[in-house]
Amino acid sequence: MHDPHSERMSGSETRAAGGLALVFAFRMLGMFMVLPVLATYGMDLAGATPVLIGLAIGAYGLTQAVLQIPFGILSDRIGRLPVIYVGLLIFAAGAALAANADSIWGVIAGRVLQGAGAISAAVMALLSDLTREQHRTKAMAMIGMSIGLSFAVAMVVGPLLTRAYGLSGLFWVTAGMALLGIFIVLLMVPRASRVLRHRESGVARQALLPTLTHADLLRLDLGIFVLHAILMASFIALPLALVEQGGLPKEEHWWVYLTALLVGFFGMLPFIIYGEKKRRMKHVLLGAVAVLLACELYFWAFGATLHALVLGTVVFFTAFNLLEASLPSLISKVAPAGGKGTAMGVYSTSQFLGAALGGILGGWLYQHYSLSGVFLGCAALALLWLGFAVTMREPPYVTSLRLPLSVAALQEAGLAERLQAVPGVADAVVVVDEAAIYIKVDTQQLDRMSLERLIEPAPVTC
């Protein structure tokens, strides 16, 4: 038994967060490692065309987009672990199918099957089951960092593994990592004593319609859709440009991505700190989208030498990393109280759909209009996003809280309305079947004493 109010994560919480972060990292590593190599090595496969290479790059996004919300809902009914185990087995089977393929169609089928192992929502829900309220944001941040790190590692390790073992070997490594994920869940992740219905980490049907009709959330969904469409299309054009225009052998591309991602990671940090501290995240977002647009035009106009391509790639990944890190934070700020999990579910679906479209569109543009067509197409997408993002309001600078309620507090009429009158409380909603209230607060303005007087906390059991 541990102190329910402890400021430190317990051993079981640390194991849960660390283990599930590793599962996420291995899975995403397997998904991302093919991006920098498929456009160059994939052309050796039977039947390969640029359009089909693009489809292979983005194919996983189609099944991810369709299945991730249903898998999350299924995990509420049959349990988190069965969904996670089956999802990882499906992912491993997809990787094995792609590894055994001797044609581009086999790789496409493998990537589609990989995407069908859509366990993101189930993993996040299990994390909520295994962590206390005050540590949940910290645990979810660990998973977020693992995804970012896996992307960076994949850009470097993917080309190195493919150089050593070929595309087939790369997919076998991916299958092995998925199976390793199963053993991590079995041996490292504690068993949950309860299934928690939690609107901050799962999709709530009641919140789906408000999410789909919320103008600023839709602008952010469009943003992640376009960002990943540009990323996938760029991973058709950039590897080919490095070979065709930069004269860099495909076996040596890893150092370009390593340089770009390292500089990009440290380059984005001052902008995020500035945006959050000065409460100007809209301006930071608009600036990053404008830089993304400028990068695509730069590739089109000046990307004829290796130095120019490396410089453009470094700036591109600085803007990409900044947008990838700030968009989920903006979703959390903009989503209504109790709607964050649903908003993130729709956001993730938009991200995967963007990846699918970007791969297909990038391949089609390259096949018909060469590299210039891909770069101009990506520039057009960035311009579309910029046009919608300009009309977005500055987001509220609020933090989401979920507070358990006693039986007496649940029976009070108008509790949410009285809470919204407390200085610093932006939104509040009572969810009776969870015996909890979700509130969004501006910590700089919050009157904590007034808040605590209104809410009689439920007794905590452990």
Side-chain angles (χ1 to χ4, degrees):
M1 185 180 291
H2 52 257
D3 178 5
H5 302 293
S6 170
E7 290 303 311
R8 298 182 62 180
M9 292 177 77
S10 68
S12 65
E13 286 175 320
T14 303
R15 287 201 318 278
L20 292 174
L22 277 176
V23 170
F24 242 109
F26 284 150
R27 182 172 162 275
M28 300 312 288
L29 193 60
M31 205 73 87
F32 292 143
M33 280 196 301
V34 301
L35 297 185
V37 298
L38 206 50
T40 48
Y41 287 84
M43 289 306 292
D44 296 332
L45 293 164
T49 67
V51 170
L52 294 180
I53 291 289
L55 179 57
I57 285 176
Y60 81 95
L62 293 170
T63 38
Q64 281 272 2
V66 171
L67 293 175
Q68 60 129 1
I69 289 179
F71 270 34
I73 294 170
L74 184 64
S75 77
D76 287 338
R77 295 187 178 178
I78 69 170
R80 317 294 189 207
L81 292 177
V83 170
I84 292 171
Y85 291 143
V86 170
L88 287 170
L89 285 171
I90 291 171
F91 185 88
L97 178 60
N100 283 309
D102 54 8
S103 75
I104 188 64
W105 287 107
V107 171
I108 290 169
R111 292 282 284 172
V112 168
L113 191 56
Q114 276 187 309
I119 60 167
S120 303
V123 170
M124 296 303 276
L126 178 59
L127 189 68
S128 292
D129 297 342
L130 293 170
T131 52
R132 288 166 292 163
E133 202 71 48
Q134 66 266 37
H135 299 306
R136 200 159 290 133
T137 301
K138 197 187 309 178
M140 288 183 176
M142 288 173 67
I143 285 187
M145 285 188 290
S146 78
I147 295 172
L149 186 61
S150 67
F151 180 78
V153 171
M155 293 303 100
V156 179
V157 173
L160 291 174
L161 279 175
T162 311
R163 179 172 71 177
Y165 305 109
L167 268 181
S168 178
L170 182 69
F171 282 116
W172 280 122
V173 170
T174 297
M177 286 192 298
L179 296 176
L180 184 59
I182 292 175
F183 284 104
I184 289 171
V185 176
L186 276 170
L187 301 175
M188 186 173 173
V189 177
R191 302 288 84 103
S193 59
R194 72 228 156 96
V195 173
L196 181 66
R197 298 291 178 90
H198 194 293
R199 289 190 176 203
E200 295 295 274
S201 59
V203 173
R205 290 177 188 172
Q206 307 93 318
L208 202 50
L209 185 60
T211 298
L212 293 172
T213 54
H214 192 297
D216 280 341
L217 284 177
L218 289 175
R219 288 183 181 90
L220 295 172
D221 293 335
L222 173 72
I224 195 64
F225 175 90
V226 169
L227 184 63
H228 277 256
I230 289 174
L231 179 70
M232 294 301 158
S234 295
F235 269 116
I236 290 169
L238 281 176
L240 293 170
L242 287 170
V243 173
E244 295 173 12
Q245 298 177 182
L248 185 69
K250 59 188 178 183
E251 295 82 10
E252 296 180 27
H253 288 192
W254 64 270
W255 68 261
V256 176
Y257 301 122
L258 177 62
T259 303
L261 285 160
L262 283 176
V263 175
F265 174 77
F266 291 106
M268 75 167 180
L269 292 176
F271 296 101
I272 287 184
I273 293 167
Y274 166 79
E276 290 287 353
K277 194 170 182 181
K278 301 293 185 181
R279 300 196 165 195
R280 293 173 69 86
M281 280 306 297
K282 177 184 173 180
H283 295 80
V284 170
L285 177 79
L286 292 176
V289 178
V291 170
L292 208 62
L293 168 59
C295 282
E296 297 297 340
L297 293 174
Y298 170 85
F299 285 133
W300 169 68
F302 304 109
T305 66
L306 181 59
H307 287 96
L309 287 167
V310 171
L311 176 62
T313 303
V314 167
V315 178
F316 174 88
F317 274 109
T318 303
F320 173 82
N321 287 340
L322 176 55
L323 290 163
E324 185 80 357
S326 58
L327 282 170
S329 169
L330 289 169
I331 288 278
S332 298
K333 289 176 169 60
V334 171
K340 178 183 167 186
T342 306
M344 287 303 298
V346 174
Y347 171 87
S348 296
T349 300
S350 304
Q351 173 181 324
F352 293 128
L353 285 173
L357 173 80
I360 296 165
L361 181 65
W364 184 86
L365 286 170
Y366 177 72
Q367 187 161 314
H368 291 88
Y369 303 104
S370 73
L371 289 172
S372 294
V374 182
F375 294 134
L376 287 175
C378 289
L381 284 172
L383 184 62
L384 171 72
W385 181 8
L386 192 60
F388 278 93
V390 164
T391 61
M392 186 180 84
R393 291 170 295 179
E394 188 71 42
Y397 288 83
V398 291
T399 301
S400 299
L401 299 175
R402 177 186 183 273
L403 303 172
L405 292 177
S406 65
V407 175
L410 275 173
Q411 293 171 346
E412 286 185 37
L415 176 60
E417 289 75 13
R418 291 201 302 281
L419 276 171
Q420 288 183 55
V422 173
V425 175
D427 194 10
V429 61
V430 174
V431 181
V432 175
D433 60 350
E434 293 183 28
I437 186 164
Y438 292 88
I439 59 175
K440 306 202 79 168
V441 299
D442 184 333
T443 53
Q444 291 185 10
Q445 300 175 13
L446 180 65
D447 183 345
R448 280 194 175 274
M449 291 188 67
S450 297
L451 180 67
E452 288 166 6
R453 277 199 300 269
L454 280 171
I455 299 177
E456 179 189 346
V460 179
T461 57
C462 55

